[in-house]
Amino acid sequence: MDRRVLLQGMGAAMMMSSASGLGAQAAGDDTGVVYELRIYHTYPGKYEPLLKRFRERETKIFARLGMHVIGYWTPDDDPLKGNALIYLLRHPSRAAAKESWATFGKDPEWIKLKAESEANGPFVEKHDITFMSLTDFSPKV
């Protein structure tokens, strides 16, 4: 997968996130807003079950825990078409992101959902995670 091509395609998402009025943040600043790009690569036959889990339940857990999702995407082109879920989150800081994921990982509803939905094997073969900060020249839409 060419991450540069993927990030170029995320321009609309970045414009949407900058429209939130958060402004630009310095790269690596643990006290400023960060964006987290996640790409989940699924095992064969696990793509649709992953989408179903997100659509029906996982997104609700994120919302309940205060995790702010900018959006979800499914690739239209190979090699990722039909085997990857992409999503973007906004966190108040890198530390807040770490705390959110720790809370999510211990959440009883999530633990039960993962165990039930993956009883016949895990959905995600690998995941890519990239933390990003807005530049000072990001569009203000």
Side-chain angles (χ1 to χ4, degrees):
M1 176 189 76
D2 186 341
R3 188 174 280 185
R4 181 175 52 175
V5 171
L6 176 64
L7 289 173
Q8 287 171 342
M10 300 295 292
M14 293 297 101
M15 289 190 339
M16 287 185 334
S17 63
S18 67
S20 68
L22 294 173
Q25 300 295 326
D29 181 359
D30 192 45
T31 62
V33 172
V34 295
Y35 296 85
E36 180 182 9
L37 176 67
R38 289 185 160 242
I39 305 169
Y40 291 174
H41 304 267
T42 61
Y43 284 107
K46 301 297 184 171
Y47 179 66
E48 289 301 328
L50 178 68
L51 294 181
K52 181 178 186 214
R53 184 172 76 191
F54 267 84
R55 182 181 300 111
E56 294 178 3
R57 299 190 46 205
E58 196 161 339
T59 56
K60 292 175 178 84
I61 297 171
F62 286 171
R64 178 173 50 79
L65 296 177
M67 296 172 73
H68 183 81
V69 177
I70 300 295
Y72 298 94
W73 293 266
T74 55
D76 291 334
D77 298 316
D78 291 328
L80 297 180
K81 182 178 182 176
N83 69 3
L85 173 65
I86 302 165
Y87 64 105
L88 184 68
L89 299 124
R90 182 179 65 222
H91 302 282
S93 67
R94 190 77 176 255
K98 183 177 180 180
E99 183 178 321
S100 288
W101 284 112
T103 300
F104 177 80
K106 292 185 258 180
D107 183 77
E109 183 181 355
W110 164 244
I111 292 168
K112 181 180 177 189
L113 173 60
K114 183 169 174 60
E116 289 172 354
S117 62
E118 297 186 358
N120 294 319
F123 293 168
V124 177
E125 180 178 11
K126 72 171 189 158
H127 59 275
D128 300 319
I129 301 170
T130 303
F131 282 93
M132 305 174 291
S133 298
L134 288 174
T135 63
D136 61 348
F137 54 87
S138 290
K140 307 292 188 261
V141 180

